[in-house]
Amino acid sequence: MASSKRKAAAPAPAHAKKARGISDTLVEVSSSEESFDDMIDDDEDDDEDNDEEEEGDYIEGEDEDMESGSDADDDGDDGQDDFMAAAEHEASSGSRLDAKNKSLYKAPTNEEIQGLQESADLFKSNIFKLQIEELLKEVHIDYSKAQPLEAALRKLKDVFDKTPAHHDLSLATIKANMKKKSIVIPFPRPEPAGDIQYTFGYSSPTAMHLVGSFPLKTVSKTRHGWTVDVAVEIPGELFQEKDHMNNRYFYKRAYYLSVLAAAIQDKKSGMSNCAIEYSTFNGDQRKPILILHPSGDKSEIDFKKMRCTIRIIPCISSSVFPAQRLAPGRNNVRLADASDQPPTPQYNTAVQQDSAFTSHLAFLYQHSKNCLAFKDACILLKIWATQRGLLRRTSESISGFLLEMLMAYLLQGGGTKGGKKLANGFSSYQLVKGTIDYIAQHDFEAQPVFMGQHTTSGEFSRDAFVSNFDVVIVDPSGKINLAGHVSKAAFDELQHEARLAMKFFTESGDDKFEALFLKRVDNVLLRFDNIVRVQVPKNLGQLKSYTKRAALDYPSPFVHFARSVAPLLKRGLTNRIYLVTAHYEPLENWSISATAPSFGSESLMTIGLLLNPQECSRLVDHGPPADDLEAAKVFRALWGDKAELRRFKDGSILESAVWEAQGPEARQLIVGQMISYLLKLHFSVPHDSVHYWAGQLNKFIQYNPKAVPERLFDNKNAANGFQTVVDAFESLSKAVKSLEDMPLSVIHMYFASPAARLSSTFIPQARDLNAPATSYPDSAQYVEPLDVVIQFESSQKWPDNLKAIQRMKTAFYLRMADKLKYKGMPATVVEETEEESLGLNGFMDVRVAPGFVFRCRISYDRESTLCENVISDRKSSHSLKEQHQKALDLYNRHFVQAPMHTFQVHALCHRHPSLSQTIRLTKRWVSAHWLAPFLNDETLELLAAAVYVDPAPWATPASGFVGFARVLNLLATWDWKHEPLVVDLTGEMTSNEREEIRNNFAKTRKNATSQAQTTVASSDHATMFIATGKDTSSKWWTWQGPSRMIVERLRLLAKTSLEHMTRVTTSSETSSGAFNPVFITPTVHYDIVIDLDPALCTRYAQNLAPNAQYFVTKGDKFKNLGSLQKSAFGDKILVGFDPVAEYLAELQRTYGDIALFFHDQYGGTQIGVLWNPSALSPRTWKVNLGFNNKPADVNKDGVMELKEHDSKQKSGKATGSKLVVPNIEALMSEMERIGHGLVGSIQVNRDPTATD
């Protein structure tokens, strides 16, 4: 081995040793694995001499502790070698074959056999293996092109070595010297006092080491480039015995770094073209580093094409300070006025880590040699963490280095009974999966991780680490806690993401490769159920919690505050939440001529919450019993004046905290009340500095209280949610089933309305149906009919003729209506007049207290059989088959699919309480953008349900806020052309059903492609393919629409809306109308806009911004004139009457071939019109063309020139144009005439016949 050869060589002179490290070996980085041995200092040689023994130890205990799929043992390798020898012998015996044929029968190589075996055993699937290989290929760095980078590193080494040494300079002197060079020394806070006695100096580095991912070849491309870490070892002679105390090490380190910056900036250095700036090492403000950017001058040291930067990190030898002085329980920052000095574990660890770069690298390198897949696994693991935003550049977060060390540790331990969790023969997939599984399952609090030997007593014992750190992962030396800087909240977040990943790894359905590695899932709006933005108070340094003791370890009050918030909220919120995290933006890099930035009063912190949907809305928090004085004291200290003694129904007397909220939507905001209260009580954060993003969308699914009078619609009446209307249906069901003297008994009644699915946009409110219609203004006259399906007991007396069956249903309606009036439920029977209709030909509206109208239809199961018989009968005419097919579709949609869909969505809403709000917001948003005419309720419910039944790559939503954001994300990103949307409403979908869905989807897309190529009009499936377990062909809700144009419009609107929500929630904006633009659609894209009279829009009360003047009646002004109030629609209540919907339907029937019509069904007062471009093309005139037209000519450029009068040709004879185009002006006049009284005006945004 390389290490043994170097051991035999004569020792190098002192000056040669100092120069060794980078200068002689960098060129070999890209060409030799063994070159790393030359980058490790002489003090690591002894460890490397034992390589062969260690390699043997790594396999022990493997059969007992490894997964059964591993074949890394020695016997397996011998068997494989025997097989290869036999295969080669057999291949050589066939020498009579020509060379071409011989290659076909050539024995597989070791690599080929291993690849086949890995695909079957070591990866989840062949596709997964190929995806991993392709991903690694994309992110790998091309080391063969690193010559300019290597040249820059060698030049850097030369510059530092040639910088003149100086010693024993005072603080004032070094500041003055650096000021002349326009460099500010990046002293950490608190800066050194002016009267310090110790001095500063500089000598050329003892050594320079390539550390981090680059020498290990575990670095990968990222969105922001990548870094090369160079550890510059400060000579020990520059330090004194007590420099480990009172920040003296960090002050001298900062000065040394400024000298390095001055050396690079010097014009004589040859590197002055390279921009340099200060940054912090992993967010630790005590440890500034230098960032070296490429020069961009195309010189031999210009590494710009590598898209990387160089991080220059000062470090020290492990021998500079005795390890014992930096033990976790030691104090190294003295309090001037205290007899007992508290431990400073954070400070101590920061010093320790600067001495361990090379030893940690040697540990990782050894495992990378023993495990072939280790490097790729490290890259995959860091990609997984990066995509989740876990590798933040803040002082309390985890790092990619920590994940690499954990994986390396699991190759030698971490398993059951002291064995290994991972084996050297594992694939990269297995290594990553095993590491993530360990993170997810291991109890780091009860069982801290020690990578090497550890003592049971003393200053480096288990107890010493556990009592001083949130997370304990001790390195192989047993003295340095690698996770010493990591907060408990950050590690909880890591474990949460690991548990999610394991769920995706183990799911039996489609592989989740994209969710695990490709999708960027760090958007807090999509990750967390609720988000809290906190503007930090100005007096952080004066808070009671920021004591002098705390300041020793956390010199930044903001960092201490950020680490303290999550534990406090976790104590207070208890089981209301699954996870609480605190994020903040790291400090930006700063110029070497500027003072280091700090977290000021403008700093913002984001708190992310994952809610427990079963507990987050409870009104009371129970504390300890009154007789438990110690626990009661703690509870009262936590809750202050909010804590009170209460007696409960079971007789217990408990300390309690009670919260006030009415209605399900208000109760969802209790967590926000608690957070605001706790932050105010413990950190003096004003309530207006805490912004809780959760309930801001609620107003969009409520009536506007500022404009709509409470006597018409009161949002307080919706406090019980949908329970009131469900209770009314139960009353109706009991009444109908108890009717006497009926020819047949009712056996089932199904509530099939969106309200039954808890998904109607507005919670139904009862209305006084006994009052005359004139008591309500016309703008609030709409009464929603609630669909009900009635099923009678079976009987042979039903007729076999479909028209006769419809007449029989009418007779039943009349009989039931007559009897229900005696039960206080007046009913109205309606028979629809469409003569050719064989399906839904009538209904019965029943008025039920306290004020709902249920629209009942009778289901008779033989209708479907009769329709199918006619359709399958060869003697049936085409028109008859079409008529019966239409009737069959209506029957299945209303009497089979709708009740089943209602049952499944209702059950899902109970399983996920926030789904109801998500659906309602989705419907409101789609309608607000005038797309409601193209998407039915069921389609929108399935879209919303999709983000709950398959939430990957996030956890299942627990709030309507994040649920709605996820729906927008789904609409903005889903590839409808190549992927079906599978919505498993019951959670019982089998793999066969999923395969059937994919086959059905492939057929529809194949048919669409073939028809597009043959220019035949497609009658197949529309753009959206949304399949469920009961609808594997996506037949019932999206077969005929929406079109590709509507889906594209939906995608763009969703993308824009999501971007706006993300921008608002990550900024300091706190206005109540911040989300209003999400629900406001642009109208400039429409050719014309039809303005309607709000006074005649019966659903105007549901408008997003209604005008209060349209809800005033004469009775509101003068009570004695209330009886004189008149209605344009008469004195009777018209159930389900919406004149705008009727007008829109008439427009679609009349002009549907030449235009598309857009409208907000929830109180919208405008209709957008887009002309069909193909319909505007000139065509030959004929009788019954279908639309108003006028003559047109087309010039040689294809531009239409409309002609108002006949033209004269050269012959002198007058002639008209042979082609015609739609007469837009006349069509607009017709539309206005059809809507006479309802239409106010028509705006023309653009002339569709004009060209740019």
Side-chain angles (χ1 to χ4, degrees):
M1 296 181 66
S3 57
S4 60
K5 291 179 181 178
R6 188 172 68 250
K7 191 76 173 182
H15 64 86
K17 178 181 178 183
K18 183 175 292 188
R20 192 191 58 77
I22 286 187
S23 57
D24 297 329
T25 59
L26 278 177
V27 74
E28 300 174 1
V29 170
S30 61
S31 59
S32 173
E33 285 287 344
E34 295 298 320
S35 65
F36 172 78
D37 291 342
D38 296 326
M39 300 176 201
I40 305 299
D41 271 352
D42 293 339
D43 56 2
E44 303 296 338
D45 289 345
D46 294 338
D47 294 334
E48 294 179 358
D49 288 340
N50 299 322
D51 283 349
E52 295 180 5
E53 296 178 8
E54 291 175 357
E55 289 178 9
D57 294 338
Y58 285 146
I59 305 300
E60 290 181 4
E62 185 174 72
D63 292 338
E64 179 180 350
D65 298 319
M66 296 301 111
E67 296 180 12
S68 59
S70 174
D71 292 308
D73 55 286
D74 294 336
D75 293 339
D77 291 340
D78 292 339
Q80 190 179 84
D81 291 340
D82 293 339
F83 171 80
M84 286 301 301
E88 291 175 2
H89 175 74
E90 184 175 348
S92 62
S93 64
S95 57
R96 289 172 293 179
L97 296 173
D98 56 46
K100 181 178 180 179
N101 290 336
K102 183 181 295 186
S103 64
L104 298 177
Y105 299 97
K106 183 179 178 181
T109 63
N110 279 323
E111 291 77 10
E112 290 170 339
I113 291 177
Q114 184 178 2
L116 293 171
Q117 185 176 4
E118 284 181 350
S119 297
D121 299 332
L122 305 186
F123 291 87
K124 186 173 183 179
S125 65
N126 289 336
I127 296 297
F128 210 97
K129 178 178 184 293
L130 293 174
Q131 288 172 321
I132 287 178
E133 291 175 349
E134 190 64 27
L135 173 62
L136 291 172
K137 194 182 301 181
E138 289 293 326
V139 302
H140 269 147
I141 302 300
D142 189 354
Y143 287 86
S144 64
K145 297 180 180 180
Q147 289 87 353
L149 175 62
E150 294 163 3
L153 292 170
R154 282 194 293 267
K155 183 67 175 177
L156 203 62
K157 168 73 172 157
D158 185 56
V159 169
F160 293 163
D161 283 344
K162 291 180 179 179
T163 301
H166 50 268
H167 301 279
D168 301 328
L169 299 182
S170 67
L171 178 64
T173 302
I174 62 172
K175 282 186 175 182
N177 291 344
M178 286 300 161
K179 187 175 181 180
K180 293 178 183 178
K181 300 178 181 180
S182 299
I183 292 177
V184 174
I185 304 173
F187 287 129
R189 292 179 177 84
E191 292 195 9
D195 58 352
I196 59 173
Q197 300 301 311
Y198 54 89
T199 58
F200 298 82
Y202 174 84
S203 292
S204 58
T206 304
M208 291 175 61
H209 313 279
L210 271 181
V211 295
S213 300
F214 183 68
L216 280 175
K217 295 192 176 181
T218 60
V219 69
S220 62
K221 301 173 186 175
T222 68
R223 291 184 293 271
H224 308 295
W226 50 281
T227 61
V228 176
D229 291 347
V230 178
V232 179
E233 188 174 317
I234 306 173
E237 65 196 45
L238 298 179
F239 295 101
Q240 298 173 350
E241 181 183 2
K242 293 186 177 182
D243 275 353
H244 64 284
M245 299 180 64
N246 297 324
N247 289 305
R248 285 166 57 170
Y249 162 72
F250 295 117
Y251 296 150
K252 291 189 175 184
R253 181 186 184 278
Y255 172 66
Y256 196 89
L257 188 68
S258 67
V259 175
L260 298 182
I264 297 173
Q265 188 177 260
D266 190 340
K267 293 183 179 180
K268 297 179 182 179
S269 68
M271 301 193 74
S272 57
N273 288 340
C274 297
I276 53 175
E277 56 185 352
Y278 289 132
S279 184
T280 58
F281 183 68
N282 293 339
D284 191 342
Q285 293 173 268
R286 283 176 291 226
K287 298 165 68 173
I289 60 175
L290 271 179
I291 305 294
L292 179 70
H293 297 274
S295 61
D297 57 4
K298 298 184 179 180
S299 63
E300 63 177 6
I301 62 171
D302 178 20
F303 53 95
K304 184 176 180 180
K305 291 184 178 180
M306 294 294 289
R307 295 192 64 221
C308 68
T309 55
I310 297 173
R311 297 202 307 174
I312 300 172
I313 308 168
C315 68
I316 55 175
S317 168
S318 58
S319 61
V320 171
F321 302 121
Q324 210 71 16
R325 296 182 181 179
L326 297 169
R330 288 287 187 102
N331 172 274
N332 282 303
V333 185
R334 295 287 191 259
L335 276 173
D337 54 351
S339 56
D340 64 320
Q341 301 291 339
T344 54
Q346 295 292 325
Y347 176 95
N348 301 348
T349 301
V351 178
Q352 283 180 310
Q353 289 177 343
D354 272 5
S355 67
F357 285 110
T358 55
S359 61
H360 291 159
L361 189 61
F363 178 74
L364 292 173
Y365 178 67
Q366 184 60 54
H367 286 290
S368 73
K369 288 201 303 182
N370 296 334
C371 179
L372 294 177
F374 180 78
K375 297 175 184 177
D376 287 345
C378 286
I379 293 174
L380 288 174
L381 190 60
K382 288 189 288 188
I383 289 175
W384 168 79
T386 300
Q387 296 291 63
R388 278 143 188 80
L390 298 174
L391 307 184
R392 300 183 292 274
R393 295 187 299 112
T394 51
S395 59
E396 88 295 342
S397 59
I398 65 167
S399 63
F401 163 73
L402 178 60
L403 296 178
E404 290 178 342
M405 291 293 286
L406 260 179
M407 183 184 293
Y409 160 68
L410 296 178
L411 285 166
Q412 66 182 40
T416 57
K417 299 180 180 179
K420 295 183 294 182
K421 173 74 174 178
L422 306 176
N424 291 329
F426 277 11
S427 66
S428 58
Y429 164 80
Q430 285 182 308
L431 291 173
V432 171
K433 182 180 176 182
T435 304
I436 293 177
D437 179 59
Y438 181 80
I439 295 172
Q441 302 297 331
H442 187 72
D443 186 348
F444 287 84
E445 191 170 350
Q447 299 177 343
V449 173
F450 287 84
M451 297 184 178
Q453 298 295 325
H454 67 281
T455 59
T456 56
S457 61
E459 293 190 287
F460 293 101
S461 66
R462 177 187 182 279
D463 292 339
F465 281 105
V466 171
S467 61
N468 286 291
F469 295 104
D470 292 341
V471 185
V472 177
I473 302 175
V474 181
D475 76 337
S477 72
K479 295 179 174 59
I480 302 176
N481 182 12
L482 301 175
H485 62 286
V486 179
S487 67
K488 185 66 169 63
F491 206 79
D492 286 344
E493 185 180 1
L494 171 65
Q495 289 195 295
H496 162 75
E497 292 294 344
R499 294 186 191 103
L500 269 183
M502 287 310 301
K503 178 183 176 184
F504 302 150
F505 273 126
T506 56
E507 280 185 356
S508 57
D510 297 337
D511 71 68
K512 292 293 191 289
F513 178 83
E514 184 176 355
L516 286 164
F517 299 111
L518 297 186
K519 279 189 178 180
R520 184 178 177 182
V521 296
D522 57 347
N523 186 340
V524 294
L525 175 65
L526 299 172
R527 283 186 71 194
F528 301 110
D529 294 318
N530 289 161
I531 305 166
V532 188
R533 292 285 283 180
V534 180
Q535 178 120 21
V536 300
K538 298 179 180 180
N539 57 342
L540 277 179
Q542 301 172 7
L543 294 178
K544 293 181 180 179
S545 59
Y546 189 63
T547 62
K548 292 182 178 180
R549 291 170 176 256
L552 299 182
D553 239 5
Y554 300 100
S556 169
F558 175 84
V559 172
H560 180 263
F561 171 73
R563 289 184 70 109
S564 304
V565 165
L568 171 69
L569 297 183
K570 191 172 182 179
R571 282 178 56 208
L573 298 176
T574 61
N575 65 342
R576 290 178 186 267
I577 58 168
Y578 291 131
L579 179 71
V580 56
T581 67
H583 297 173
Y584 57 90
E585 290 297 320
L587 293 174
E588 297 290 336
N589 298 347
W590 68 99
S591 168
I592 60 173
S593 60
T595 305
S598 61
F599 296 102
S601 58
E602 299 297 322
S603 300
L604 291 172
M605 187 172 65
T606 302
I607 299 173
L609 302 168
L610 290 182
L611 304 177
N612 177 353
Q614 309 304 325
E615 299 291 343
C616 65
S617 58
R618 68 170 183 265
L619 295 173
V620 181
D621 281 287
H622 298 289
D627 55 359
D628 190 344
L629 299 180
E630 191 64 30
K633 182 179 178 181
V634 173
F635 186 86
R636 288 189 171 272
L638 176 64
W639 290 112
D641 295 339
K642 199 70 177 176
E644 59 184 45
L645 273 177
R646 283 208 168 198
R647 183 188 296 273
F648 294 92
K649 291 181 179 180
D650 60 358
S652 60
I653 302 176
L654 303 175
E655 292 284 351
S656 307
V658 182
W659 308 94
E660 295 181 1
Q662 293 184 349
E665 291 170 356
R667 292 181 65 168
Q668 292 292 327
L669 305 180
I670 289 177
V671 169
Q673 294 182 42
M674 300 173 71
I675 291 174
S676 183
Y677 179 85
L678 288 169
L679 292 179
K680 173 67 174 177
L681 178 64
H682 294 276
F683 296 118
S684 302
V685 180
H687 292 307
D688 59 1
S689 294
V690 180
H691 203 70
Y692 190 64
W693 292 110
Q696 286 77 8
L697 300 179
N698 292 352
K699 66 179 182 180
F700 297 110
I701 50 177
Q702 297 173 347
Y703 294 94
N704 190 325
K706 295 181 180 179
V708 182
E710 289 185 359
R711 70 175 186 84
L712 299 179
F713 299 100
D714 188 359
N715 291 318
K716 296 178 182 177
N717 295 334
N720 293 328
F722 292 90
Q723 191 58 47
T724 304
V725 70
V726 172
D727 291 342
F729 168 73
E730 292 296 333
S731 300
L732 173 64
S733 180
K734 291 178 181 178
V736 171
K737 290 181 180 179
S738 64
L739 293 179
E740 298 178 352
D741 298 328
M742 291 290 295
L744 296 174
S745 299
V746 175
I747 57 172
H748 293 298
M749 288 187 68
Y750 304 103
F751 194 8
S753 167
R757 303 190 283 270
L758 314 182
S759 65
S760 60
T761 304
F762 294 88
I763 295 176
Q765 294 197 18
R767 170 175 172 167
D768 185 1
L769 299 173
N770 296 319
T774 54
S775 61
Y776 278 67
D778 288 344
S779 56
Q781 285 281 10
Y782 185 73
V783 178
E784 180 81 36
L786 306 170
D787 293 330
V788 173
V789 176
I790 300 176
Q791 187 174 1
F792 287 99
E793 62 181 338
S794 60
S795 171
Q796 299 297 323
K797 296 182 180 181
W798 284 86
D800 286 339
N801 182 278
L802 286 175
K803 289 186 178 181
I805 290 175
Q806 304 308 315
R807 297 292 181 269
M808 183 67 74
K809 289 183 180 181
T810 303
F812 271 112
Y813 293 144
L814 291 170
R815 175 69 67 89
M816 288 189 292
D818 182 58
K819 293 184 176 297
L820 283 171
K821 67 181 179 182
Y822 296 107
K823 294 181 177 288
M825 298 180 181
T828 303
V829 177
V830 178
E831 185 175 9
E832 293 161 316
T833 57
E834 189 176 350
E835 295 182 359
E836 296 182 356
S837 175
L838 301 177
L840 308 178
N841 209 17
F843 54 83
M844 176 180 66
D845 281 346
V846 184
R847 303 182 182 191
V848 180
F852 299 104
V853 178
F854 292 92
R855 179 157 291 177
C856 303
R857 299 181 189 271
I858 296 173
S859 169
Y860 174 49
D861 55 8
R862 271 189 55 78
E863 286 184 80
S864 61
T865 304
L866 294 174
C867 288
E868 290 170 353
N869 291 339
V870 174
I871 294 169
S872 61
D873 188 356
R874 295 182 179 180
K875 297 180 181 180
S876 300
S877 65
H878 180 71
S879 61
L880 188 63
K881 287 185 177 181
E882 282 188 345
Q883 188 181 20
H884 282 76
Q885 184 63 56
K886 181 180 178 181
L888 179 60
D889 289 344
L890 285 172
Y891 176 86
N892 283 328
R893 184 173 291 110
H894 286 272
F895 299 133
V896 178
Q897 296 298 326
M900 183 185 304
H901 176 81
T902 298
F903 172 77
Q904 293 176 338
V905 173
H906 178 85
L908 198 62
C909 283
H910 277 289
R911 196 155 66 243
H912 305 291
S914 65
L915 173 58
S916 171
Q917 188 181 26
T918 298
I919 295 174
R920 295 167 63 204
L921 286 169
T922 301
K923 290 182 178 180
R924 180 61 148 173
W925 178 83
V926 168
S927 185
H929 288 288
W930 300 8
L931 297 176
F934 307 98
L935 293 133
N936 53 49
D937 281 349
E938 290 81 2
T939 297
L940 298 178
E941 287 160 5
L942 290 175
L943 285 170
V947 303
Y948 282 79
V949 298
D950 185 13
W954 300 283
T956 304
S959 75
F961 187 84
V962 68
F964 173 65
R966 299 256 190 101
V967 173
L968 292 181
N969 181 71
L970 173 69
L971 292 172
T973 59
W974 192 263
D975 184 2
W976 296 103
K977 183 177 180 180
H978 300 103
E979 288 292 330
L981 182 62
V982 181
V983 185
D984 185 6
L985 293 173
T986 61
E988 300 174 352
M989 188 177 290
T990 64
S991 57
N992 290 336
E993 288 173 333
R994 291 182 180 274
E995 187 62 28
E996 181 183 355
I997 289 172
R998 290 201 166 276
N999 292 335
N1000 291 336
F1001 172 78
K1003 290 178 183 177
T1004 62
R1005 293 300 180 257
K1006 183 178 180 180
N1007 293 340
T1009 302
S1010 62
Q1011 288 176 345
Q1013 292 173 349
T1014 58
T1015 67
V1016 177
S1018 174
S1019 60
D1020 281 316
H1021 202 283
T1023 303
M1024 283 185 171
F1025 192 104
I1026 306 177
T1028 65
K1030 300 297 182 182
D1031 183 16
T1032 58
S1033 298
S1034 184
K1035 178 179 180 181
W1036 297 112
W1037 313 121
T1038 60
W1039 189 267
Q1040 297 178 338
S1043 66
R1044 184 169 60 182
M1045 186 198 79
I1046 298 299
V1047 171
E1048 179 61 18
R1049 170 88 173 159
L1050 199 64
R1051 185 188 68 80
L1052 293 174
L1053 288 169
K1055 180 181 178 182
T1056 304
S1057 297
L1058 186 62
E1059 288 174 351
H1060 179 79
M1061 289 183 68
T1062 301
R1063 186 164 55 251
V1064 169
T1065 52
T1066 54
S1067 69
S1068 57
E1069 185 173 358
T1070 59
S1071 64
S1072 58
F1075 287 134
N1076 288 356
V1078 174
F1079 292 85
I1080 298 176
T1081 194
T1083 61
V1084 295
H1085 302 114
Y1086 297 102
D1087 294 324
I1088 64 174
V1089 176
I1090 303 174
D1091 292 316
L1092 308 175
D1093 183 0
L1096 298 178
C1097 299
T1098 57
R1099 303 183 73 162
Y1100 185 62
Q1102 299 173 347
N1103 191 285
L1104 283 166
N1107 191 327
Q1109 70 177 11
Y1110 292 104
F1111 304 105
V1112 179
T1113 63
K1114 291 182 179 181
D1116 293 327
K1117 294 182 178 180
F1118 308 100
K1119 291 186 177 180
N1120 60 329
L1121 297 181
S1123 59
L1124 300 179
Q1125 176 71 28
K1126 299 295 182 181
S1127 170
F1129 309 122
D1131 296 337
K1132 294 184 178 180
I1133 295 175
L1134 302 178
V1135 178
F1137 177 63
D1138 181 0
V1140 179
E1142 298 295 332
Y1143 175 56
L1144 185 65
E1146 183 64 27
L1147 292 178
Q1148 290 170 335
R1149 281 192 296 268
T1150 308
Y1151 307 109
D1153 292 336
I1154 62 172
L1156 290 175
F1157 299 91
F1158 302 78
H1159 175 61
D1160 178 5
Q1161 67 178 353
Y1162 299 116
T1165 58
Q1166 292 180 309
I1167 295 175
V1169 182
L1170 277 179
W1171 301 110
N1172 185 343
S1174 62
L1176 298 177
S1177 302
R1179 65 184 70 186
T1180 305
W1181 181 88
K1182 63 180 180 180
V1183 179
N1184 295 330
L1185 195 57
F1187 54 85
N1188 199 311
N1189 55 79
K1190 63 180 179 181
D1193 283 335
V1194 180
N1195 64 16
K1196 61 181 181 180
D1197 296 323
V1199 178
M1200 294 182 292
E1201 295 180 347
L1202 303 183
K1203 301 180 63 178
E1204 300 294 340
H1205 304 286
D1206 294 341
S1207 61
K1208 291 185 178 182
Q1209 298 181 344
K1210 293 181 180 180
S1211 61
K1213 295 181 179 180
T1215 179
S1217 173
K1218 297 180 180 180
L1219 301 176
V1220 295
V1221 294
N1223 188 338
I1224 301 299
E1225 294 80 4
L1227 290 172
M1228 290 167 54
S1229 298
E1230 290 177 4
M1231 292 178 185
E1232 188 173 7
R1233 178 178 55 80
I1234 293 173
H1236 177 69
L1238 179 62
V1239 176
S1241 63
I1242 298 181
Q1243 307 172 31
V1244 179
N1245 287 339
R1246 58 188 179 188
D1247 182 0
T1249 62
T1251 58
D1252 296 333

